[in-house]
């Protein structure tokens, strides 16, 4: 080895060991080289061995089979929605964001009872629209409350449980005035950027639906349902509750006179990216689905032992997934499905999967391969769903948005949903939602 090569090797070792060190408990699975061979389940082989060759067979036979595996084996079974659900529009402001948008808050009362569980949907409709034209929309949850994603000081502050962070104005699990507009830099909803592109940003706080804590998550919409007596490991958990609420929010959006309810994209980052994929799979009315760095339990393939693994999730996030999934902790290769089939469930709708170059925890390559391996299902509907510029297993160049109706990018940098990502999502949406 030349001196120069030795120097490079040393620098690489230092960088890798720093990443490992920084990841603490996440160390054991950070190993960019040792990926054993694996075979992905074929999305087009039905449970009885039949080969699926047409879109009709996919819709009637295979899609329901795959959906059932994810429902009973990953996120838990969602109950039906209440026919008595109500929506009340409040706090309307016609000249929000310097006149660019009309803001409204919609109180969703999930069972319509006076003491029912409620969540507020925050909506900004762009004012600059052609006469009578309804706006396409992006719907997704936020991490810390609607009042944290906007600088407007009259948006209702959530009184739901929040994780403590005194520096950001969250104490005793409650939000304070100090938390207004303090949305985490990397989890952002760039409201004006979205409005300027002609889309309506629509968001609700995950904690009003199911607080994001193993000890608290049953204190949201779960309260509305009787406890199941027979437990078979498929009971719904927080991600299913969040996805269920997104579908309730879509019910409202389809009635809003200013929104085009047939053009609503569902989007989410990280744990909410897992949620967006599950919401898209569960409610086919979503016109387009976006997974931003959803990682393990989202787009990333379980069969690649890179980044987060099921054993870690079982310990830290037992309230996200149903118990049946955790039976596969440390034996992910035995799973009867893999996450490319969750992407396949989005077919034939446009789907965008994205990663960040330093976000090893989410396994960018696993997310990319998952998107690519959803292709057989999309091929039942389109000639060239991946487009000409995607050549799996080779990762596309960094900071390049690639693909066809299945789209992908890996952005430079860390875990986060940045304006750059939004720009690419809106370029993609422009093709299908305008
Ligand atoms: C991490 C978790 C990931 C991801 C992320 C997030 O701690 O391990 O699966 O969901 O949180 O949501 O930001």
């Amino acid at each position: 080895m030349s001196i120069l090569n030795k120097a490079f090797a040393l620098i690489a070792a230092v960088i890798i060991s720093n990443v490992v060190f920084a990841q603490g408990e996440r160390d054991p699975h950070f190993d960019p080289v040792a990926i054993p061979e694996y075979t992905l389940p074929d999305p087009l082989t039905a449970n009885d061995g039949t080969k699926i060759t047409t879109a009709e067979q996919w819709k009637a036979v295979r899609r329901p089979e795959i959906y059932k595996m994810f429902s009973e084996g990953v996120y838990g079974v969602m109950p039906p929605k209440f026919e008595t659900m109500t929506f009340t529009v409040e706090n309307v402001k016609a000249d929000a964001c310097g006149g660019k948008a009309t803001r409204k808050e919609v109180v969703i009362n999930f069972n319509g009872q006076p003491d029912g569980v409620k969540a507020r949907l925050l909506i900004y409709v762009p004012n600059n629209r052609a006469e009578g034209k309804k706006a396409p929309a992006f719907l997704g949850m936020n991490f810390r409350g609607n009042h944290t994603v906007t600088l407007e000081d009259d948006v209702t502050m959530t009184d739901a449980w929040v994780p403590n962070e005194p520096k950001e104005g969250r104490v005793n699990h409650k939000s304070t005035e100090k938390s207004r507009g303090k949305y985490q830099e990397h989890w952002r909803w760039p409201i004006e950027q979205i409005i300027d592109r002609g889309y309506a940003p629509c968001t609700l706080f995950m904690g009003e639906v199911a607080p994001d804590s193993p000890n608290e998550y049953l204190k949201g919409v779960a309260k509305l349902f009787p406890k199941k007596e027979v437990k078979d490991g498929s009971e719904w958990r927080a991600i299913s509750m969040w996805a269920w609420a997104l579908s309730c929010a879509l019910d409202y959006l389809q009635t809003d006179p200013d929104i085009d309810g047939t053009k609503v994209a569902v989007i989410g980052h990280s744990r909410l990216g897992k949620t967006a994929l599950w919401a898209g799979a569960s409610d086919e009315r979503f016109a387009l689905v976006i997974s931003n760095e959803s990682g393990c339990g989202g787009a990333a393939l379980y069969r690649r032992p890179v980044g987060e693994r099921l054993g870690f999730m079982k310990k830290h996030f037992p309230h996200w997934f149903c118990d049946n999934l955790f039976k596969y902790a440390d034996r992910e290769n035995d799973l009867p499905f893999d996450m490319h089939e969750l992407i396949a469930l989005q077919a034939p709708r446009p789907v965008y999967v994205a990663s960040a170059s330093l976000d090893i925890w989410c396994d960018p390559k696993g997310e990319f391969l998952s998107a690519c391996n959803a292709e057989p299902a999309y091929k039942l509907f389109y000639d060239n769903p991946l487009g000409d510029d995607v050549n799996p297993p080779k990762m596309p160049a960094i900071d390049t948005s690639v693909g066809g109706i299945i789209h992908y990018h890996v952005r430079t940098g860390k875990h986060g949903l940045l304006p750059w990502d939004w720009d690419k999502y809106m370029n993609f949406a422009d093709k299908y939602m305008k």
Side-chain angles (χ1 to χ4, degrees):
M1 212 190 246
S2 72
I3 294 194
L4 204 60
N5 282 348
K6 274 189 191 150
F8 277 135
L10 190 68
I11 292 167
V14 169
I15 291 172
I16 288 175
S17 64
N18 277 342
V19 173
V20 169
F21 180 73
Q23 288 183 336
E25 198 181 355
R26 305 174 178 199
D27 301 357
H29 309 297
F30 181 77
D31 183 349
V33 279
I35 296 164
E37 291 230 335
Y38 58 85
T39 309
L40 292 177
D42 176 10
L44 298 189
T45 302
N47 292 349
D48 68 359
T50 311
K51 282 276 171 210
I52 302 299
T53 54
T54 67
E56 288 63 40
Q57 278 177 303
W58 169 259
K59 285 191 220 154
V61 180
R62 188 56 183 151
R63 189 182 192 281
E65 285 179 356
I66 296 180
Y67 185 79
K68 190 169 188 287
M69 284 194 283
F70 280 89
S71 172
E72 295 176 359
V74 183
Y75 304 106
V77 180
M78 291 176 195
K81 291 180 269 187
F82 293 93
E83 279 172 19
T84 47
M85 174 165 57
T86 58
F87 307 112
T88 314
V89 181
E90 286 183 0
N91 211 3
V92 179
K93 184 154 116 192
D95 60 347
C97 307
K100 282 182 185 175
T102 300
R103 180 205 67 206
K104 44 190 145 184
E105 294 182 43
V106 180
V107 180
I108 306 175
N109 183 337
F110 293 102
N111 69 352
Q113 301 307 308
D115 59 350
V117 175
K118 297 174 190 150
R120 270 174 191 268
L121 175 63
L122 175 65
I123 302 175
Y124 290 88
V125 189
N127 285 338
N128 186 11
R129 315 195 302 279
E131 184 72 29
K133 184 143 172 23
K134 297 180 174 197
F138 282 86
L139 170 66
M141 294 214 153
N142 62 71
F143 283 83
R144 297 292 183 257
N146 295 348
H147 68 289
T148 66
V149 305
T150 170
L151 294 172
E152 288 193 301
D153 59 9
D154 58 342
V155 165
T156 306
M157 181 156 62
T158 186
D159 60 4
W161 184 96
V162 283
N164 282 338
E165 181 47 84
K167 276 197 288 204
E168 288 187 11
R170 288 180 269 115
V171 271
N172 299 327
H173 297 295
K174 287 284 166 209
S175 305
T176 68
E177 278 299 323
K178 194 179 162 193
S179 62
R180 280 194 184 281
K182 284 257 168 64
Y183 57 99
Q184 294 261 336
E185 180 76 357
H186 287 153
W187 300 341
R188 71 167 73 208
W189 273 82
I191 302 288
E192 294 208 17
Q193 182 188 354
I194 302 169
I195 294 167
D196 289 345
R197 294 282 301 256
Y199 293 97
C202 309
T203 183
L204 65 163
F205 174 40
M206 64 200 296
E208 291 180 356
V209 174
D212 190 11
S213 145
N215 303 323
E216 305 290 327
Y217 80 101
L218 291 172
K219 296 182 185 159
V221 292
K223 286 195 296 197
L224 303 175
F225 296 93
K227 276 229 158 34
K228 214 170 138 188
E229 276 171 27
V230 184
K231 300 219 178 290
D232 63 2
S234 72
E235 290 76 30
W236 70 337
R237 297 279 187 258
I239 290 180
S240 263
M241 294 171 193
W242 297 327
W244 182 87
L246 285 168
S247 176
C248 296
L250 180 57
D251 287 342
Y252 168 75
L253 292 175
Q254 296 209 318
T255 68
D256 188 300
D258 302 323
I259 303 276
D260 184 345
T262 65
K263 292 187 177 146
V264 178
V266 63
I267 182 169
H269 167 58
S270 207
R271 67 199 66 185
L272 295 180
K274 311 180 208 304
T275 305
L277 285 172
W278 184 229
S282 302
D283 189 336
E284 294 182 78
R285 294 174 305 165
F286 284 113
L288 188 149
V289 182
I290 300 168
S291 151
N292 191 78
E293 299 155 29
S294 56
C296 185
L301 293 175
Y302 278 120
R303 279 169 175 73
R304 284 172 47 90
V306 178
E308 188 168 19
R309 307 296 286 147
L310 264 178
F312 180 93
M313 291 202 136
K314 184 175 175 181
K315 188 165 160 205
H316 294 275
F317 309 111
H319 63 297
W320 287 356
F321 302 95
C322 71
D323 293 347
N324 285 341
L325 178 69
F326 293 126
K327 293 179 191 154
Y328 290 89
D330 303 320
R331 52 182 199 94
E332 282 90 341
N333 279 42
D334 295 339
L335 280 163
F337 52 81
D338 214 320
M339 301 315 266
H340 61 304
E341 292 173 296
L342 178 62
I343 313 296
L345 287 176
Q346 317 303 334
R349 295 160 297 163
V351 64
Y352 201 134
V353 173
S355 317
S357 63
L358 298 176
D359 190 11
I360 307 300
W361 190 237
C362 278
D363 186 16
K365 186 154 188 186
E367 297 188 305
F368 169 66
L369 291 177
S370 195
C372 296
N373 282 290
E375 190 192 26
Y378 275 83
K379 274 218 145 174
L380 299 172
F381 300 90
Y382 306 99
D383 287 343
N384 191 9
L386 280 176
D388 296 328
D389 48 359
V390 176
N391 300 300
K394 195 169 170 286
M395 284 287 276
I398 285 186
D399 295 333
T400 326
S401 178
V402 294
I405 194 120
I406 304 175
H407 231 70
Y408 179 83
H409 72 238
V410 52
R411 167 184 52 72
T412 299
K414 291 195 288 197
H415 191 60
L417 172 50
L418 304 186
W420 189 92
D421 300 303
W422 273 102
D423 184 55
K424 303 298 163 282
Y425 299 147
M426 291 189 285
N427 292 345
F428 184 60
D430 284 351
K431 282 196 213 138
Y432 304 102
M433 301 219 305
K434 281 213 166 149

